[in-house]
Amino acid sequence: MVEVILEAVGIRKSFSELVLDDINLRLERGEILGIVGPNSCGKTTLLRILAGLESYEGEVRREGSLSVVFQEDRLLPWKTLMENICLGLKYSGRRDIEKALNYAKRLGISEEDLRSFPRKVSGGTRRKAAIARALALEPEIVLMDEPFTGLDFRTMITLRSSLADLLRERRISAIIVSHQLEDLLTVVDRCVVMTPKPSKVGAELKLRGMGLEDRINALKDVLIGMVGAHEP
């Protein structure tokens, strides 16, 4: 039986204009869901709504603990990477330092970098530290905003693989937001494609069990259908 761990129903959000219009989506336990769409279509706003950081109309139902990975790494510059990764553990009263260290190493952070301050390491390593900090809390749900953007090609490829492996091993449900379709094709089980503003869910792709070529072909079919639907 499918267990829905996070669900959004009829989500609407306006600033000076309507940004999100009747968004409906669900996240199943253990699933990796991608949200993709054009720039400025409200993907980050939707993620903030799901995290409880933004007001909205509609309803969000959540079962389980949650962590967020923001677009910016938000590391404290006066603390080492390892201290940053363990920060959430400290304030939650937990002391699972070995688990935090394991997440960091699995994501490819060296022991030397873990002893370093954020300004001394690369942007890719800072991004890995931000992800490790979120996973160290062992949440049931993790929301990630553009986790692969701005990385060099080699770092991006290895991080995609390491992250997908960790999420599946730990059965952590995840939502990954991106404007780059290729960021998600090899990682997610299902992908929601948003339309331009005012954004709706334009299409949904079920990708679990598909090889890469089948995933690409399914995506092409959806995008062609969406373009056709928006033509006058």
Side-chain angles (χ1 to χ4, degrees):
M1 181 177 177
V2 172
E3 181 182 358
V4 176
I5 194 170
L6 178 66
E7 186 172 20
V9 180
I11 299 300
R12 288 172 57 89
K13 176 66 179 181
S14 298
F15 293 104
S16 58
E17 60 181 345
L18 183 61
V19 177
L20 301 174
D21 184 18
D22 194 28
I23 299 289
N24 298 280
L25 60 82
R26 74 189 189 285
L27 176 67
E28 299 170 7
R29 186 173 294 277
E31 179 184 38
I32 305 175
L33 172 68
I35 298 178
V36 69
N39 287 331
S40 303
C41 75
K43 301 184 297 298
T44 294
T45 299
L46 176 58
L47 204 74
R48 287 178 58 83
I49 288 171
L50 297 176
L53 301 174
E54 194 80 53
S55 62
Y56 61 93
E57 299 175 42
E59 184 178 4
V60 175
R61 298 188 286 264
R62 172 166 61 89
E63 299 288 338
S65 57
L66 179 144
S67 288
V68 181
V69 178
F70 297 95
Q71 285 191 36
E72 312 84 12
D73 57 62
R74 302 195 180 189
L75 301 177
L76 300 180
W78 59 89
K79 290 187 176 291
T80 66
L81 257 60
M82 190 61 194
E83 288 172 332
N84 270 285
I85 291 168
C86 294
L87 199 60
L89 296 176
K90 176 182 177 181
Y91 288 105
S92 66
R94 297 166 58 185
R95 293 291 182 268
D96 302 328
I97 305 302
E98 288 302 317
K99 287 184 178 180
L101 180 61
N102 179 61
Y103 279 116
K105 289 183 174 180
R106 289 285 302 275
L107 290 170
I109 307 176
S110 69
E111 291 189 11
E112 180 181 356
D113 284 341
L114 286 171
R115 294 191 296 268
S116 300
F117 294 99
R119 68 180 182 277
K120 297 292 187 179
V121 301
S122 68
T125 300
R126 292 195 299 272
R127 184 70 53 83
K128 292 175 185 178
I131 294 172
R133 179 179 56 194
L135 296 181
L137 291 168
E138 299 203 306
E140 293 172 81
I141 305 167
V142 62
L143 307 179
M144 300 186 178
D145 193 1
E146 304 277 5
F148 310 118
T149 298
L151 303 179
D152 64 77
F153 183 75
R154 182 176 178 181
T155 300
M156 178 178 58
I157 294 298
T158 56
L159 182 57
R160 282 183 197 165
S161 177
S162 300
L163 179 58
D165 288 345
L166 278 171
L167 293 174
R168 291 196 169 93
E169 283 176 21
R170 309 292 185 181
R171 281 191 58 77
I172 299 173
S173 306
I175 294 180
I176 303 176
V177 162
S178 179
H179 66 280
Q180 298 286 350
L181 294 169
E182 59 268 28
D183 284 353
L184 303 179
L185 275 179
T186 59
V187 177
V188 302
D189 302 309
R190 189 163 52 90
C191 187
V192 167
V193 183
M194 295 176 65
T195 67
K197 288 189 297 188
S199 296
K200 299 177 179 289
V201 173
E204 179 181 311
L205 281 167
K206 296 180 179 180
L207 302 172
R208 182 177 291 171
M210 287 188 181
L212 181 58
E213 185 175 350
D214 289 336
R215 287 175 177 236
I216 292 171
N217 289 335
L219 178 61
K220 286 179 180 178
D221 290 342
V222 165
L223 293 179
I224 290 170
M226 288 180 65
V227 170
H230 285 85
E231 287 181 350

